[in-house]
Amino acid sequence: IRYWLVPFGSQALEWKNGYSFYKGIGRYSQEAAAMLDSVFNLCMSQGINLQLTLFQHGMYSENVNPNWADNPYNVANGGFLEHAADFFSNTTARKLTRHLLRYIIARWGYATNLFSWELFNEVDLTGNTSNNPPSWITNVDAWHEEMGEFIKKTDPFHHPVSTSVSGWMDHPLVAALGNNSFLDVMHFHS
């Protein structure tokens, strides 16, 4: 199964202070972590493997299922990013993401039923997709390269690393994700 760490389901480890049981950037929710412990244990007892999806596009989107208004990185919430797309290029945001990934790997990397780490669900829908700067694709690619390499160096059990896009096989991100173990392409028909 794919299990998303998303704030709207109180599953993310950090989110806007005051939303549910969250306390802001770098303050990892032990309530959400305990829920994920339970999910791993239940799945293990049933022989089910998990693909852990670490980020969802809405968390860093200003117009596609946007949750940016509640994101703790947003300056409107006391954060330091003006726009959702800045998450991929800002040095401090990247450092804090590595800290979060280190925590996640240390807490759940041992799990024998962890199939893979999925960096993003539908990452091509992040930012302000109607007005992303030309550097956005380069920044998203560089972020994936950095975080993918960080996971591979940090995870002692060498779980595969993936990401997903929303279904455009010719999207530039598909070709750019060379250091990931595989790419999920979400394609739905109405």
Side-chain angles (χ1 to χ4, degrees):
I1 64 170
R2 289 173 78 224
Y3 187 87
W4 295 10
L5 300 182
V6 293
F8 57 79
S10 298
Q11 298 153 303
L13 295 182
E14 63 180 359
W15 199 239
K16 181 173 90 171
N17 187 25
Y19 179 86
S20 187
F21 40 62
Y22 294 110
K23 307 264 189 288
I25 298 171
R27 310 257 332 258
Y28 307 143
S29 167
Q30 293 309 293
E31 294 88 348
M35 185 170 24
L36 184 52
D37 289 339
S38 295
V39 169
F40 267 106
N41 290 335
L42 175 64
C43 288
M44 187 173 293
S45 74
Q46 301 298 311
I48 298 170
N49 293 329
L50 284 93
Q51 179 175 359
L52 195 59
T53 303
L54 306 174
F55 300 99
Q56 180 261 354
H57 66 273
M59 298 165 71
Y60 297 96
S61 176
E62 295 179 42
N63 65 357
V64 179
N65 311 118
N67 301 132
W68 178 244
D70 291 325
N71 193 307
Y73 285 82
N74 188 332
V75 293
N77 298 317
F80 51 90
L81 299 180
E82 292 283 336
H83 301 285
D86 297 339
F87 174 73
F88 296 101
S89 60
N90 182 279
T91 304
T92 302
R94 289 167 88 135
K95 177 183 175 185
L96 290 168
T97 300
R98 289 189 307 274
H99 286 241
L100 176 61
L101 294 175
R102 183 183 314 277
Y103 178 85
I104 290 170
I105 293 165
R107 180 126 185 191
W108 296 287
Y110 77 92
T112 57
N113 61 329
L114 174 63
F115 168 67
S116 70
W117 311 105
E118 182 177 64
L119 289 168
F120 252 93
N121 176 67
E122 299 178 325
V123 68
D124 53 302
L125 301 179
T126 60
N128 179 352
T129 56
S130 63
N131 194 27
N132 284 329
S135 62
W136 176 78
I137 294 286
T138 303
N139 293 339
V140 172
D141 174 38
W143 185 93
H144 277 78
E145 292 284 336
E146 178 182 343
M147 300 310 157
E149 285 302 311
F150 179 81
I151 289 173
K152 288 179 179 189
K153 289 177 183 173
T154 308
D155 177 5
F157 299 100
H158 310 289
H159 294 94
V161 179
S162 70
T163 200
S164 78
V165 295
S166 66
W168 302 313
M169 290 302 292
D170 60 344
H171 195 283
L173 287 173
V174 174
L177 296 170
N179 280 341
N180 287 314
S181 300
F182 61 97
L183 177 70
D184 293 331
V185 178
M186 308 299 160
H187 188 71
F188 301 98
H189 297 286
S190 54

